[in-house]
């Protein structure tokens, strides 16, 4: 077996059980991985120098194909209502079949950290059969210093082989595509999907399992910090603006997707960003555009001009979920430590396609827990197959339901305690529609969102006059310099006031119906923070 690159010679691929491999390429950097990827025909080079790959059938995660080993520990600890199980025997069969499938192949290996805080990070080794997948995970996780690689011993091992096809009868899964996790052995097996995001979310899921018992709340969020150490957390589902809004030129970016909040403050789990880039423009998002159009960026499912190889970010013909992965240091004002003090503000982002939520609202601690457990946004036609013309609500508890191994109440209670302990201000921000629902209204102007967020984060929004929202009960500012006053009260932006009222009541009902499953697990204060049921049900 040939081996290239810096590695721990005493802890090689054989320790995982891999044998009879043709080659292992260890910890290669971007230039070498570009070369391997291009020569193998895995990807193409854009005019700007980014590496562009297609992910085939799967252009996003496949939650229905994710499984966890049910053993004596996970049987009692896991949130099985939100997770699927396989037996230890089925996992072992899959594992052995993976090892056999790898024989004779050339693999790429990266030794990386999940977590910027040395006290809580997990040492992760990722084997991939594709060079561009190796570059992707090298970009998204945290790269150790070169001197650390010769003694690196992994705690978590991931093997990612898209060419492997799982057998549902043999392996206990549902299709040829599978993500299987054994928390006891700290092994993740990924097969069938060329979508690289499965790897990074497997690390996130693992940290979500282990960190709460160590007093750290893992979060699906972006984060940034001001000049005075006033850090902020941005929760939100895909497409709500986590990446865009945290990339603020006047604040230091901590990270765009996954963080921990614990005794030492907040810390990034990752060393890169993974931005949605459909309709990405230099004018609206200059930092992300610049990071995505240079050597070292990895683009997924983007369309290139056949002659010029210039990326057309407006073309969603392959998928609306086009993606750009780039190292965090491609953002000029990104943190080099990935760490920040205890946050002053928590922001929950919702792309409300019903056009009902105000552009910003201040939440009490109980309301914050309610909306955190709700995890609301809305999907619209074009973002997912099978959606009609009407918006569809999406409630993903804790803004990350697919990645929660433990009961959502674990994370909800941690959030409430941390908010109280550090006296944090909480905000709900609508990055969706105004003036009507999707198809009638227009998207909330990003300039308005940024102005309101700036006022929230610098403290000036605390001093304005607020009204109590008729439907949701939270506090909404009535005026702010530089922001049109009518946009702060959504009903004033609708031509048909009766239709607004009807739509608002319907959305309240959707919240109530979704939250019913949590009512027995939360206290009376959180239940009272719900939208007014009587109001919604005349």
């Amino acid at each position: 077996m040939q081996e290239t690159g810096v590695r721990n010679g005493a802890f090689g691929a054989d320790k995982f059980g891999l044998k009879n491999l043709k080659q292992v390429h260890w910890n290669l950097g971007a230039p070498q991985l570009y070369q391997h990827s291009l020569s193998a025909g895995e990807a193409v080079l854009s005019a700007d120098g980014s590496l562009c790959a297609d992910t085939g059938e799967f252009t996003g995660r496949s939650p229905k194909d994710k499984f966890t080993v049910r053993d004596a520990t996970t049987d009692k600890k896991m949130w099985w209502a939100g997770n699927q199980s396989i037996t230890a025997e089925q996992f072992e069969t899959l594992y052995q079949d993976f090892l056999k499938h790898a024989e004779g192949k050339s693999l790429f290996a990266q030794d990386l950290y999940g977590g910027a805080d040395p006290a809580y990070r997990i040492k992760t080794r990722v084997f991939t059969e594709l060079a561009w997948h190796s570059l992707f995970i090298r970009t998204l996780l945290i790269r150790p210093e070169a001197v650390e690689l010769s003694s690196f011993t992994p705690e978590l091992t991931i093997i990612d082989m898209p060419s492997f096809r799982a057998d549902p009868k043999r392996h206990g899964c549902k299709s040829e595509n599978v993500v299987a996790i054994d928390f006891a052995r700290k092994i993740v097996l990924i097969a069938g999907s060329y979508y690289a995001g499965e790897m990074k979310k497997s690390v996130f899921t693992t940290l979500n399992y282990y960190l709460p018992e160590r007093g750290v709340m893992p979060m699906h969020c972006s984060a940034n910090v001001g000049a005075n150490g006033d850090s902020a957390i941005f929760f939100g589902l895909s497409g709500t603006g986590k990446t865009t809004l945290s990339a603020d030129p006047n604040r230091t970016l901590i990270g765009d997707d996954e963080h921990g909040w614990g005794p030492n403050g907040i810390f990034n789990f990752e060393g890169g960003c993974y931005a949605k880039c459909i309709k990405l423009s230099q004018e609206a998002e200059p930092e992300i555009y610049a990071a995505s159009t240079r050597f070292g960026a990895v683009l997924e499912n983007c369309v290139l001009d056949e002659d010029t190889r210039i990326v057309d970010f407006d073309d969603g013909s392959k998928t609306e979920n086009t993606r750009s992965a780039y190292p965090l240091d491609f953002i000029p004002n990104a943190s080099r430590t990935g760490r920040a003090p205890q946050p002053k503000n928590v922001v929950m982002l919702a792309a409300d396609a019903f056009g009902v939520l105000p552009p910003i609202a201040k939440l009490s601690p109980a309301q914050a827990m309610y909306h955190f457990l709700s995890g609301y946004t809305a999907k619209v036609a074009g973002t997912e197959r099978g959606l009609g013309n009407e918006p569809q609500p999406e409630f993903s508890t804790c803004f990350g339901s697919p990645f929660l191994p433990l009961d959502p109440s674990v994370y909800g209670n941690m959030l409430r305690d941390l908010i109280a302990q550090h006296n944090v201000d909480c905000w709900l921000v609508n990055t969706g529609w105004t003036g009507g629902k999707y198809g009638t209204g227009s998207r909330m102007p990003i300039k308005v969102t940024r102005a309101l967020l700036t006022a929230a984060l610098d403290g000036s929004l605390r001093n304005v006059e607020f009204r109590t929202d008729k439907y949701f009960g939270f506090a909404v500012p009535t005026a702010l310099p530089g922001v049109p006053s009518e946009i702060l009260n959504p009903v004033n932006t609708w031509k048909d006031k009766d239709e607004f009222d009807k739509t608002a009541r319907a959305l309240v009902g959707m919240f109530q119906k979704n939250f019913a499953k949590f009512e027995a697990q939360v206290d009376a204060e959180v239940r009272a923070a719900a939208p007014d049921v009587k109001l919604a049900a005349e």
Side-chain angles (χ1 to χ4, degrees), residues 50-122:
S50 55
L51 191 68
C52 304
D54 285 354
T55 64
E57 177 187 356
F58 293 95
T59 57
R61 292 177 297 99
S62 182
K64 67 181 178 63
D65 292 316
K66 183 178 176 182
F67 296 85
T68 302
V69 172
R70 189 189 287 262
D71 55 29
T73 301
T74 58
D75 183 51
K76 298 174 182 176
K77 189 174 178 180
M78 284 285 291
W79 177 46
W80 291 115
N83 290 276
Q84 304 174 106
S85 67
I86 56 173
T87 66
E89 292 74 22
Q90 288 167 331
F91 184 91
E92 177 62 21
T93 300
L94 181 64
Y95 173 51
Q96 293 300 328
D97 289 349
F98 257 64
L99 298 180
K100 188 68 178 176
H101 185 77
E103 291 187 20
K105 291 185 179 296
S106 296
L107 298 182
F108 299 86
Q110 294 287 342
D111 290 329
L112 303 159
Y113 294 130
D117 188 334
Y120 301 108
R121 68 190 180 196
I122 188 167

Side-chain angles (χ1 to χ4, degrees), residues 304-470:
L304 304 184
D305 183 279
E306 289 186 10
D307 299 320
T308 65
R309 294 278 185 92
I310 293 173
V311 182
D312 183 356
F313 287 113
D314 291 330
D315 191 330
S317 58
K318 294 179 182 178
T319 175
E320 291 281 319
N321 191 35
T322 54
R323 292 278 182 168
S324 170
Y326 48 86
L328 199 60
D329 59 17
F330 278 18
I331 301 294
N333 62 328
S335 168
R336 295 302 182 260
T337 66
R339 300 172 68 180
Q342 300 292 346
K344 302 290 187 185
N345 289 277
V346 166
V347 179
M348 299 183 192
L349 304 170
D352 177 27
F354 294 96
V356 166
L357 294 181
I360 197 166
K362 193 172 190 308
L363 305 176
S364 69
Q367 288 171 334
M369 186 171 176
Y370 180 91
H371 284 277
F372 179 68
L373 288 174
S374 296
Y376 166 72
T377 193
K379 297 177 181 178
V380 296
T383 59
E384 204 169 282
R385 281 183 289 183
L387 288 178
N389 293 327
E390 287 294 308
Q392 296 296 318
E394 180 181 11
F395 293 97
S396 184
T397 186
C398 306
F399 295 97
S401 180
F403 324 118
L404 303 184
L406 310 180
D407 190 281
S409 62
V410 172
Y411 309 100
N413 288 328
M414 291 190 80
L415 179 68
R416 182 178 60 181
D417 293 346
L418 286 163
I419 287 170
Q421 182 181 347
H422 301 290
N423 193 27
V424 179
D425 284 336
C426 301
W427 309 89
L428 181 69
V429 170
N430 175 19
T431 60
W433 273 256
T434 184
K437 59 186 175 183
Y438 171 79
T440 302
S442 57
R443 197 72 192 252
M444 190 73 68
I446 193 167
K447 288 183 178 179
V448 169
T449 303
R450 286 199 182 279
L452 290 166
L453 270 177
T454 297
L457 301 187
D458 69 18
S460 58
L461 197 57
R462 294 195 201 111
N463 304 319
V464 304
E465 185 179 338
F466 286 83
R467 65 176 177 85
T468 300
D469 186 82
K470 176 180 174 183

